[in-house]
Amino acid sequence: MDTKELSRIDLNLLISFQVLLEEQNVSRAAERLYITQPAMSKTLSRLRQTFDDPLFIRSSHGMQPTPRAQELAGNLGGILNNITQLIAPTSFDPYSYSGEITLALSEYIGVALLPPLIQKLHHLAPRLTIRTITRVENQLEELGQGKLDFAIQIDRAQYPDDYRVTRIASNPSAILVRDGHPLSKGKITLNRLANYPVIRLYISDLEQIEIVRSSDTFNRVRSPNQGCLETSHLLTSLAVLRSTDYFMPGPAYILQNTAVTGGIIALPLPAGEEYSMDYMLVAHHRTASSPVHQWFWQQIVDTLTPSQSTAPETQS
């Protein structure tokens, strides 16, 4: 593209040229454009200079277009129509939309929250492609650069002003164990937890965040004899929980997906150690005027906001 040549062209000249082609009269063209006849004559002079051609010749039948003007007329209408469509407000039809949305969220969130969202989108926007990424560092930067459209992440202490943020869930943490685990009977205490191996599930949506390490509770109870599995794979963690006496601190709401978490139960944290995690939907303001992004944002909010978990019942 020769941007130097394009920069010489005034779009208003092309509009004036189109009106002159239709009217073939300077006075009538000036009236349609709400300018004076001298101004219209000056515009015609500029057009002649731009295209290096007289464009219109006076005759007894009015202004007649030159062969060059007729050649230009064949393309000008389509060009102006394309420009009109380019600047017109974007219409968005979810059912026929075939673009892609990229969403960052941790696997433990996706297991519980994606199924109802995807089920809904399948009917409303069957051609929409949803691409989820479970391990993304520096998510805010990725959103700002356009590499991500949305992120669902644990609440940060502060968000820059150029990000749109809303809370979609606030869920209590729990001790996840297999059904029939020795911890399932009796009161949960720090000393009892120290007797069993722990799974540390890595979460990539905040720097250095891990459910276990973010709580002093589980640092204090670690003993030299306590085994530990560190992993970022939720399904692996759940499989280990089902077949061993490991326990894993995690959000209680993942048990909503019984197809994935069958055989696993949630126990309360030790008394005085309870804490909840707030989950935020985040997007950069660069997408604030995009109809598809506005629509998808609302679908996430409408689908995920009701997905609140109740705290696990205290075991006696």
Side-chain angles (χ1 to χ4, degrees), residues 88-117:
T90 303
S91 59
F92 172 64
D93 176 18
Y95 194 82
S96 61
Y97 183 77
S98 59
E100 179 179 280
I101 294 291
T102 303
L103 170 65
L105 76 172
S106 293
E107 187 183 11
Y108 70 94
I109 298 177
V111 162
L113 302 183
L114 273 182
L117 176 63

Side-chain angles (χ1 to χ4, degrees), residues 9-21:
I9 300 175
D10 182 350
L11 179 59
N12 290 321
L13 287 179
L14 299 182
I15 297 173
S16 298
F17 186 22
Q18 179 65 31
V19 174
L20 281 168
L21 285 168

Side-chain angles (χ1 to χ4, degrees), residues 135-176:
R135 296 200 66 176
V136 183
E137 306 295 340
N138 304 314
Q139 290 186 8
L140 295 187
E141 289 81 355
E142 297 285 292
L143 287 166
Q145 295 171 11
K147 297 178 181 179
L148 292 175
D149 294 299
F150 300 95
I152 298 176
Q153 59 179 225
I154 295 175
D155 191 14
R156 295 170 177 252
Q158 185 176 3
Y159 285 90
D161 292 337
D162 47 351
Y163 290 87
R164 182 183 181 190
V165 183
T166 189
R167 179 176 288 101
I168 58 173
S170 181
N171 291 275
S173 294
I175 301 296
L176 304 179

Side-chain angles (χ1 to χ4, degrees), residues 183-241:
L183 287 171
S184 63
K185 295 186 181 297
K187 186 176 181 179
I188 302 298
T189 65
L190 298 179
N191 290 334
R192 288 191 69 200
L193 288 174
N195 293 322
Y196 297 94
V198 62
I199 296 177
R200 298 178 183 271
L201 183 62
Y202 176 79
I203 306 171
S204 62
D205 50 2
L206 287 181
E207 295 85 354
Q208 307 298 322
I209 283 288
E210 294 175 48
I211 293 179
V212 175
R213 288 177 178 168
S214 63
S215 170
D216 290 339
T217 297
F218 303 104
N219 287 327
R220 292 201 305 270
V221 302
R222 284 299 306 280
S223 69
N225 297 324
Q226 185 179 29
C228 178
L229 169 64
E230 298 192 7
T231 181
S232 62
H233 300 288
L234 175 62
L235 295 183
T236 298
S237 300
L238 296 176
V240 171
L241 287 180

Side-chain angles (χ1 to χ4, degrees), residues 19-124:
V19 174
L20 281 168
L21 285 168
E22 295 172 0
E23 297 294 341
Q24 295 189 9
N25 182 284
V26 171
S27 297
R28 290 198 299 269
E31 290 177 3
R32 280 186 57 182
L33 295 172
Y34 302 99
I35 61 176
T36 65
Q37 181 174 342
M40 191 73 237
S41 297
K42 184 176 180 180
T43 297
L44 177 56
S45 177
R46 292 179 60 195
L47 281 166
R48 288 167 169 166
Q49 182 179 6
T50 298
F51 292 105
D52 193 23
D53 187 270
L55 297 178
F56 297 94
I57 303 297
R58 292 185 181 276
S59 71
S60 58
H61 301 288
M63 298 178 62
Q64 298 300 316
T66 66
R68 174 60 170 155
Q70 292 175 330
E71 176 188 352
L72 292 169
N75 296 321
L76 184 58
I79 292 172
L80 292 178
N81 184 59
N82 289 338
I83 294 174
T84 300
Q85 293 180 1
L86 183 65
I87 63 176
T90 303
S91 59
F92 172 64
D93 176 18
Y95 194 82
S96 61
Y97 183 77
S98 59
E100 179 179 280
I101 294 291
T102 303
L103 170 65
L105 76 172
S106 293
E107 187 183 11
Y108 70 94
I109 298 177
V111 162
L113 302 183
L114 273 182
L117 176 63
I118 298 302
Q119 183 181 28
K120 182 178 183 180
L121 295 177
H122 175 68
H123 296 288
L124 296 178

